[in-house]
Amino acid sequence: MNNYKKTAIAVAVAQIALMSGSAAMARGAPAQVGASGEPAVVVVSGQRAALNSAQKVKQNSDEIVDSIVADDIGKLPDRSVTEVLQRVVGVTIDRTMSKSDPEHFSVEGSGVSIRGLNYVRSELNGRDSFSANGGRSLNYEDVPPELMAGVDIYKNPSAEQIEGAISGLVNLHTAMPFDYKGMKVALSAQTTYSELKKGRSSPSASGLFSNRWKTGIGEVGVLVDLAYSESATRTDALQVEPYFPRDDVVPGKTVWIPKGASWRTLNFERQREGAYGALQWRPNRDINTSLTFFKSRYKMDWDEQAIFAASNPYNILVGPGATYDGKGAFVSGTLTDPADKGINYGGDTRIANRKSDTTDVSWNLVWRPTRSWTFKSDLQSIRAKTANLDSTVATGVQMPKQQMDLAGGRPNLIFDSADLAYLANPSNYYWAFTQEHADRSKAKGTAWKGDAQYDFDHKVMRDIRFGVRLTKRDAVTEKTNPDFNWVAISQPWQLGWNIGQLASLGDPRFSGNTRVHNFNNFFGGKVSVPSLVVPNTSLATGYPDSYAGLHKYHDILCNEHAAANGATPACAPWKAASYGTDPAGSNEQTEKTGAFYTQARFGFDDLPMPIDGNIGVRYVKTDMKASGYTVFSYTRPTIPAGYQTTGPAIPNIPAFVRPQDYSGSYSNVLPSLNLRMKASDKLQFRFAASSAVSRPDFSQLQGYTTLTQDVKTTSDDAAGIVRVNSVTLTGEGSGNPALKPVTSRQVDLTAEWYFAPAGSLTLAVFNKQLKNIIVDQSYNFRLPDVNGAMNNFTVTAPINGAKGRARGFELAYQQYFDNLPQWLSGLGVQANFTFVDGKKTMYQSVFQEYCTGGAGNGASNLNLNMNGCDTNGRSFGNLPLYNQSRRSYNLALMYDKGPLSARLAYNWRSRSLQGVNVNGTKGGDGLDSNPASPTVGQHNVSYGLPTWAAAYGQLDASIFYKITEQLSFGLEAQNINDAKFRQEMDQEIGTKGRAWFVTGPRYTAQMRYSF
């Protein structure tokens, strides 16, 4: 397998697999001339027919596009639309569930980037489509791939296409009744088994019926497509915590010691249901109208058992015999913490569930009153909603010691029998904390589009098109406040403050509601880790009642501590995060757009090398409204009677909480040009240039701003003077309703050689110049005092604060080798390679060499969030764009001959930056090493390490055998190389391993029947 990885150097495009719709469905038998001069008939079917169709789409398109066509009726080749998209040249997918929490792996993939950028717009059948997630695009994991007939990925859209796609446009399309000559029925049943999770398999099924009839009112067609699928997977992980500089471990030397290593298991289950229906009516040859209904339901549940370090990194001791690398980083040895009676760890049970629902109803009319004129009307209504609960309940344990060896490819954690016994004993644990998060969103949109086309009878002008599009979208998102409400039950740092002891499970008052979790088959049986005592799952799912019961343990201890010290109890009862009642957790948006475009198609067929193309311009105006709040609070000093004040004036602004509606409007002019030159019937070149926009996500437009006035004073009682030393006016915005869209000027140049029906070699060079990239930075918020004088508050919020670029090339190749000996003549190869060079430049640099002590890790700590901070208080800077891999490739070996169709597909991408200041690699106890700081040497710096996804490659396979013309049987395998997803973290001592995720192979068996 290692040799396979090394030799899988990519060259080519991955429009792998897929459908037969209209002409794409015809299974032909093109004649080829054999050596004897007699026509040799090659029967084209399966994935080879799909590649033929996809290649034709690419070759004949007016724009630069890559297509995927299903190799059977409505059956894309992977387990999710996201996985399908990663096969396309220039497309990469994210492998984490959340960008802010990269500790949780997504087996089927999550976000999609095209050419290294995530400004991707999604469509369903050429209409704008979205999920209710605060963003603007679909969650592709919500969409049943069984309903899809194919996917088109436009790299540089033209003026007639809906605006919003800088990196690319993904159009999912379904079948229509008139795509088939008559009745069509297709059924499939599948079952999937996870090698790591074991246990029961996950079933899936789908069915399609379509027919068309000639009636007295014209031709009528009906299509119904239903799909249901389950997925049950498991992810195991090993993690190493950030390293901290220590000068008190090895005499005369600074060494870097991790604060521990941890392990976790996550069990994931999802159900996906889809229903699609289409009704077509053609009363005569000049009118064609259709009504479509699309509904997708997605339900996800996962639970996790994990241990994670909550230790004081400066109290950890290293036993004799430890080893370090050349930069002083810990490699192997034994860690202890006598000062804290053990290395403090948390052991959690965490559950999350989400339900999503998207419904799209659309009506389309095409009327051609004359040979020259064509009119189209398209009306769409879309509704989407989602709701989520994320709940964590944790125990704590003070581990006597931890022995580990980090010299190999993954951490080797070593435990003796005493360690195993200690960690399996509930009496050694205490109740640690709870944390809840909930959110729900609703979004609805209505869009109408009217188009007209006039066809010319002219040797140069082909047609002119123009049209308008009007939309309205409403989106409401509510989430808990605090967002993730972490509240201690009992923690070591509370001892002596408001509790006298921890809520130990060894105390009969606090025992029970836990279990010993055994990490069976961990890393497929290749790694052994200790069992842990974790809370029962019912405590996490039982929120809020279960939380209230657990926090009463703290109240008992708090009251006991107060009584023992003769103090008045100050034990505030636990309070759940507000949900649906606090304006800080609500984001309400309304957006209207109006667009007009005109576009002309032309061609110069008489040139030695004919040129055709289109030129156009799109004008779009966007009006938005956001309903929110502005909150002002202050610390006003007490001025004794008769005292005078000196120094800066203190603005007199009464505290307030007031609702506020924000409105904004902007317009964009978006020209585009697409040219194609045909050097021959097989060789052609393209040039495309355009301007594009990508609007801010609705989550970035929230209109909630908190403003604070902080006054520092000193008093001179002898002189009767109060000196005002400083007046600080600051604020923080959850969003910024004044944001403008990100804009891009982009150029593409391609060379395309189509040397066979499913054989091509293509090269694309691209350059995208970005402006108004959205980053968190500061701007002035003006607020009047009681006298009307304006005061500037420095507010940290999302702003259009950077520019950037993404440039590179794509190389793609596919071919079937028909000239090989007969038994090999069905062999083919498909490959692609993408290189992206990206860069982001701030309009105003916020880089500081040293991180500021006491600045916190919130949005206002710009240096931390933009540049990252190490645990030694030094900044990183010069970080690339998020989720952008410089190199990625696909390599697929294919075989299609007779009844047999198979493929072996490998997908790889190089490392990419996942985030800075994200969960797991951030904290507030970094070293203040700034010699000019008044707190130099203290451990008060908030750190956030750049966290990377290391290079990752996964091997998948499939084989299908056609038993009859109607019936086929297939086997699919995902991740058969048992790839391990590795995360890395940057530190001054170099790039260190952060986490190793294993999901194991998965196998699917399926039957397909169609006639």
Side-chain angles (χ1 to χ4, degrees):
M1 187 57 61
N2 289 333
N3 290 334
Y4 175 82
K5 292 179 182 177
K6 293 177 181 177
T7 56
I9 309 296
V11 241
V13 73
Q15 307 100 300
I16 305 211
L18 327 239
M19 168 176 179
S20 359
S22 60
M25 275 185 293
R27 294 183 172 178
Q32 297 181 357
V33 178
S36 64
E38 295 296 325
V41 177
V42 178
V43 178
V44 180
S45 62
Q47 62 186 359
R48 182 163 182 167
L51 292 177
N52 289 3
S53 301
Q55 181 169 296
K56 278 296 182 184
V57 172
K58 180 179 178 70
Q59 183 176 3
N60 297 329
S61 172
D62 288 347
E63 294 83 25
I64 297 171
V65 63
D66 288 292
S67 290
I68 300 172
V69 180
D71 67 351
D72 202 352
I73 307 303
K75 303 297 180 291
L76 294 180
D78 290 284
R79 307 306 302 155
S80 72
V81 172
T82 311
E83 290 180 308
V84 170
L85 290 170
Q86 71 176 331
R87 312 292 181 185
V88 177
V89 63
V91 179
T92 54
I93 65 173
D94 192 7
R95 292 278 180 178
T96 57
M97 292 185 182
S98 169
K99 290 180 172 59
S100 62
D101 184 13
E103 293 190 313
H104 298 95
F105 186 81
S106 176
V107 174
E108 293 183 349
S110 53
V112 172
S113 297
I114 300 178
R115 293 177 168 178
L117 301 173
N118 59 4
Y119 306 114
V120 180
R121 204 177 67 77
S122 55
E123 290 184 348
L124 179 64
N125 293 323
R127 305 178 182 98
D128 197 22
S129 190
F130 53 86
S131 299
N133 59 357
R136 293 187 173 274
S137 62
L138 275 171
N139 283 336
Y140 293 110
E141 58 266 36
D142 294 358
V143 181
E146 296 87 353
L147 299 184
M148 296 299 110
V151 184
D152 298 322
I153 299 92
Y154 292 88
K155 305 294 182 63
N156 200 331
S158 60
E160 68 176 325
Q161 292 172 299
I162 302 170
E163 72 284 346
I166 286 180
S167 51
L169 164 62
V170 176
N171 179 32
L172 310 177
H173 54 87
T174 56
M176 296 293 290
F178 289 174
D179 290 343
Y180 306 100
K181 294 181 178 179
M183 186 174 72
K184 188 69 183 179
V185 176
L187 303 171
S188 73
Q190 307 172 352
T191 184
T192 300
Y193 176 80
S194 169
E195 181 69 26
L196 186 64
K197 185 176 178 66
K198 296 190 179 296
R200 69 175 181 86
S201 58
S202 304
S204 300
S206 65
L208 176 146
F209 169 82
S210 179
N211 206 350
R212 56 196 294 180
W213 304 270
K214 291 184 178 180
T215 71
I217 59 171
E219 191 167 14
V220 176
V222 174
L223 183 148
V224 177
D225 197 357
L226 304 175
Y228 173 85
S229 70
E230 295 182 7
S231 177
T233 60
R234 172 177 145 183
T235 302
D236 293 341
L238 289 169
Q239 295 176 304
V240 175
E241 301 295 323
Y243 293 66
F244 287 77
R246 299 281 299 278
D247 56 12
D248 57 347
V249 173
V250 178
K253 183 179 180 180
T254 297
V255 294
W256 293 66
I257 311 297
K259 61 188 291 186
S262 57
W263 57 97
R264 63 180 65 208
T265 286
L266 185 148
N267 288 287
F268 176 90
E269 293 186 358
R270 68 123 173 100
Q271 295 178 0
R272 196 161 47 204
E273 302 173 15
Y276 167 68
L279 176 66
Q280 269 186 295
W281 176 39
R282 185 183 293 149
N284 55 58
R285 60 182 298 178
D286 299 325
I287 296 177
N288 194 338
T289 184
S290 62
L291 180 68
T292 60
F293 170 86
F294 178 87
K295 189 174 188 66
S296 175
R297 286 191 180 132
Y298 176 86
K299 179 182 178 183
M300 173 274 292
D301 293 276
W302 60 260
D303 66 89
E304 173 192 69
Q305 289 74 42
I307 188 171
F308 50 90
S311 50
N312 183 335
Y314 304 102
N315 286 348
I316 290 178
L317 302 181
V318 183
T323 62
Y324 305 88
D325 66 15
K327 294 185 177 180
F330 175 90
V331 174
S332 65
T334 302
L335 308 182
T336 60
D337 185 358
D340 297 314
K341 300 180 181 179
I343 307 172
N344 198 35
Y345 274 87
D348 76 10
T349 291
R350 181 175 178 182
I351 65 98
N353 58 68
R354 179 175 293 280
K355 293 182 180 180
S356 299
D357 190 304
T358 300
T359 304
D360 184 313
V361 180
S362 300
W363 172 70
N364 180 267
L365 172 67
V366 180
W367 176 41
R368 190 169 185 178
T370 70
R371 292 182 58 188
S372 299
W373 281 103
T374 302
F375 297 96
K376 298 179 183 179
S377 175
D378 195 274
L379 181 64
Q380 177 197 27
S381 174
I382 185 169
R383 300 289 187 271
K385 61 182 180 181
T386 187
N388 172 60
L389 172 66
D390 188 323
S391 173
T392 304
V393 179
T395 55
V397 63
Q398 287 156 307
M399 196 183 297
K401 66 179 185 298
Q402 184 169 49
Q403 183 179 355
M404 53 187 174
D405 184 352
L406 307 180
R410 65 168 181 258
N412 181 22
L413 308 184
I414 305 165
F415 299 90
D416 58 28
S417 58
D419 299 327
L420 299 178
Y422 186 91
L423 291 174
N425 185 352
S427 296
N428 296 321
Y429 288 76
Y430 60 90
W431 290 105
F433 68 86
T434 62
Q435 177 179 271
E436 79 268 25
H437 162 84
D439 64 73
R440 57 189 173 218
S441 299
K442 289 185 178 181
K444 61 180 180 179
T446 303
W448 175 78
K449 183 173 65 170
D451 301 275
Q453 176 178 321
Y454 184 81
D455 297 317
F456 293 95
D457 185 11
H458 191 273
K459 66 177 184 179
V460 174
M461 288 296 296
R462 303 285 168 81
D463 62 58
I464 186 168
R465 308 176 184 191
F466 51 90
V468 296
R469 182 173 183 264
L470 305 174
T471 74
K472 181 185 178 186
R473 185 186 298 188
D474 298 297
V476 178
T477 298
E478 294 176 324
K479 60 183 180 181
T480 48
N481 184 39
D483 193 0
F484 285 84
N485 186 36
W486 188 96
V487 181
I489 300 173
S490 65
Q491 291 286 316
W493 48 264
Q494 292 177 303
L495 295 174
W497 169 44
N498 66 358
I499 60 175
Q501 67 182 66
L502 298 172
S504 170
L505 274 74
D507 187 326
R509 297 175 299 172
F510 312 131
S511 62
N513 284 319
T514 61
R515 63 186 177 88
V516 177
H517 180 78
N518 302 313
F519 292 85
N520 297 324
N521 196 38
F522 195 73
F523 270 59
K526 298 175 183 177
V527 176
S528 178
V529 293
S531 301
L532 298 174
V533 178
V534 298
N536 288 338
T537 304
S538 60
L539 292 178
T541 58
Y543 169 84
D545 294 341
S546 59
Y547 280 36
L550 290 173
H551 284 281
K552 287 179 180 177
Y553 299 164
H554 173 269
D555 298 343
I556 292 172
L557 296 172
C558 181
N559 284 305
E560 288 180 350
H561 181 69
N565 290 275
T568 301
C571 311
W574 171 78
K575 182 180 180 182
S578 64
Y579 189 34
T581 59
D582 190 329
S586 179
N587 182 15
E588 186 174 349
Q589 306 280 335
T590 297
E591 180 182 87
K592 295 180 180 180
T593 70
F596 171 81
Y597 80 90
T598 182
Q599 179 174 299
R601 295 176 67 247
F602 54 85
F604 299 92
D605 296 335
D606 296 335
L607 295 176
M609 293 186 183
I611 295 175
D612 60 13
N614 62 64
I615 185 170
V617 63
R618 187 177 189 89
Y619 170 82
V620 57
K621 185 175 184 293
T622 304
D623 298 300
M624 62 79 57
K625 291 183 180 179
S627 298
Y629 279 78
T630 302
V631 178
F632 172 68
S633 61
Y634 58 84
T635 56
R636 184 178 299 279
T638 300
I639 309 296
Y643 277 55
Q644 294 182 339
T645 60
T646 62
I650 302 174
N652 186 3
I653 307 174
F656 64 84
V657 177
R658 68 185 180 209
Q660 185 166 349
D661 291 331
Y662 300 84
S663 61
S665 179
Y666 53 85
S667 58
N668 300 96
V669 178
L670 308 172
S672 70
L673 172 67
N674 288 273
L675 297 175
R676 176 176 60 171
M677 182 177 70
K678 296 182 179 179
S680 70
D681 291 339
K682 297 182 178 180
L683 178 64
Q684 64 186 31
F685 301 89
R686 294 182 188 269
F687 173 81
S690 68
S691 294
V693 298
S694 181
R695 296 185 182 92
D697 285 347
F698 288 112
S699 59
Q700 297 172 312
L701 294 167
Q702 182 174 3
Y704 186 87
T705 304
T706 57
L707 304 174
T708 303
Q709 175 181 281
D710 186 30
V711 180
K712 303 293 185 184
T713 64
T714 55
S715 297
D716 185 344
D717 294 331
I721 295 174
V722 174
R723 295 185 177 87
V724 178
N725 299 319
S726 64
V727 177
T728 306
L729 305 178
T730 59
E732 185 171 322
S734 300
N736 181 1
L739 286 174
K740 303 298 183 185
V742 181
T743 63
S744 174
R745 293 186 177 181
Q746 45 203 37
V747 176
D748 289 71
L749 183 65
T750 75
E752 306 167 9
W753 180 31
Y754 301 100
F755 52 81
S760 62
L761 177 64
T762 62
L763 171 68
V765 180
F766 59 88
N767 186 7
K768 297 178 184 288
Q769 297 292 328
L770 307 174
K771 290 184 178 180
N772 289 337
I773 295 174
I774 298 171
V775 296
D776 283 336
Q777 213 169 23
S778 298
Y779 70 98
N780 283 334
F781 188 107
R782 294 172 62 80
L783 190 68
D785 61 17
V786 293
N787 298 316
M790 301 303 293
N791 298 271
N792 288 327
F793 287 73
T794 302
V795 173
T796 303
I799 68 167
N800 299 106
K803 62 181 181 179
R805 68 157 190 257
R807 61 191 183 192
F809 68 88
E810 301 168 344
L811 184 62
Y813 164 73
Q814 68 180 25
Q815 183 178 9
Y816 278 92
F817 303 105
D818 296 324
N819 294 326
L820 291 175
Q822 184 68 18
W823 65 279
L824 285 176
S825 60
L827 193 65
V829 66
Q830 191 178 44
N832 66 60
F833 177 82
T834 304
F835 174 81
V836 181
D837 173 41
K839 185 179 181 181
K840 180 177 68 178
T841 303
M842 302 288 291
Y843 291 153
Q844 294 182 347
S845 175
V846 296
F847 178 79
Q848 298 173 8
E849 181 181 358
Y850 293 97
C851 305
T852 303
N857 62 0
S860 60
N861 194 336
L862 301 177
N863 189 39
L864 168 65
N865 289 292
M866 295 294 104
N867 303 300
C869 289
D870 204 347
T871 55
N872 68 347
R874 302 293 292 267
S875 299
F876 293 95
N878 196 31
L879 297 176
L881 293 166
Y882 290 145
N883 300 312
Q884 186 176 90
S885 291
R886 287 178 64 83
R887 297 173 301 280
S888 60
Y889 69 79
N890 287 277
L891 179 62
L893 299 177
M894 304 174 294
Y895 185 81
D896 276 283
K897 189 172 181 64
L900 189 64
S901 178
R903 71 164 182 163
L904 188 67
Y906 185 73
N907 173 270
W908 181 91
R909 65 177 296 184
S910 63
R911 74 193 302 252
S912 59
L913 181 64
Q914 292 185 305
V916 175
N917 194 25
V918 293
N919 189 43
T921 51
K922 67 178 181 179
D925 53 359
L927 175 68
D928 187 349
S929 58
N930 184 358
S933 170
T935 61
V936 62
Q938 296 183 18
H939 302 144
N940 64 346
V941 165
S942 292
Y943 67 88
L945 308 181
T947 304
W948 300 74
Y952 179 78
Q954 181 172 306
L955 182 64
D956 305 319
S958 66
I959 182 169
F960 284 87
Y961 184 81
K962 185 179 292 186
I963 301 171
T964 68
E965 281 301 313
Q966 292 77 34
L967 181 64
S968 64
F969 173 77
L971 294 173
E972 295 179 327
Q974 293 86 38
N975 193 25
I976 58 177
N977 60 329
D978 195 13
K980 295 166 183 60
F981 184 81
R982 185 172 184 264
Q983 284 180 339
E984 300 170 339
M985 53 188 175
D986 283 348
Q987 298 207 245
E988 186 175 296
I989 48 177
T991 298
K992 312 303 291 183
R994 159 61 184 160
W996 293 256
F997 296 92
V998 167
T999 61
R1002 301 176 304 283
Y1003 306 100
T1004 300
Q1006 64 176 285
M1007 295 289 291
R1008 298 176 180 175
Y1009 180 74
S1010 64
F1011 62 90

